[in-house]
Structures are given as C-alpha cells and as structure tokens.
Amino acid sequence: MASVGLDLSAAGRDEEDKAARVAREIGGEEAGVSFRLPDGTQTAPVNVQVGQTVMFLKAMLEKEHGLKMASLELTLSGAVLIDPLSISDCGIGGGSSVVV
C-alpha cells in the first residue's frame, strides 16, 4: 500500500484565508474592477462590493453596456468565472481587469 503525505500547515492557511475573505464580504469591502469588453475597449474601474456575485457583474454589464447576460462569459487571468461565486471567491481584488 502506498503512503500519502499531507501538509497540514497549508490547510490551516486556507481556513485563515477563507475567514479573512468572509470578513471582507460581511464588512462590505469594495474592489475597483474594470472590464475588457468584446469590442476591445476597457471600461473605467467600477467599485463593487466583494460579496457580490459574478452574476451581479453580468447584470451590471447588461444594464450599463447592453450586453446580454445569458451570452456573457467572464474570465480573469484565463479562468472562467462561475455565476454563483462571489467576487472575492474568484480572486477579484482592487485593480482587477475582467475579460468579457
């Protein structure tokens, strides 16, 4: 039988990171986020509470730029952002640029 090594110190850091993220969400911390639109233009940064969801960002883009929510796919550093996740869950922080 093969043995598996565990690094329990990393697990503790993950819990601390999660607790800090939840505290930021509850506290209403905001992040300045800009978007690279399908036509290649970059929006001015918008302050959004870090507890908001990716779906909220899509709704905002639909309202402000006329883009249909159902057809939008948002990415950050090449990773697709999933609708029910919060902005902080996705690693979006101040100065992030999200690609539409």
Side-chain angles (χ1 to χ4, degrees), residues 31-83:
V33 180
S34 61
F35 300 91
R36 187 170 336 130
L37 301 176
D39 65 4
T41 60
Q42 185 89 12
T43 68
V46 179
N47 285 331
V48 182
Q49 289 189 346
V50 297
Q52 292 291 356
T53 63
V54 171
M55 186 173 277
F56 173 83
L57 294 178
K58 289 181 177 181
M60 186 177 69
L61 287 166
E62 182 175 69
K63 180 180 178 185
E64 299 295 324
H65 297 282
L67 303 170
K68 297 293 180 197
M69 256 179 76
S71 65
L72 293 178
E73 180 177 86
L74 304 183
T75 62
L76 179 67
S77 301
V80 175
L81 305 180
I82 302 170
D83 288 349

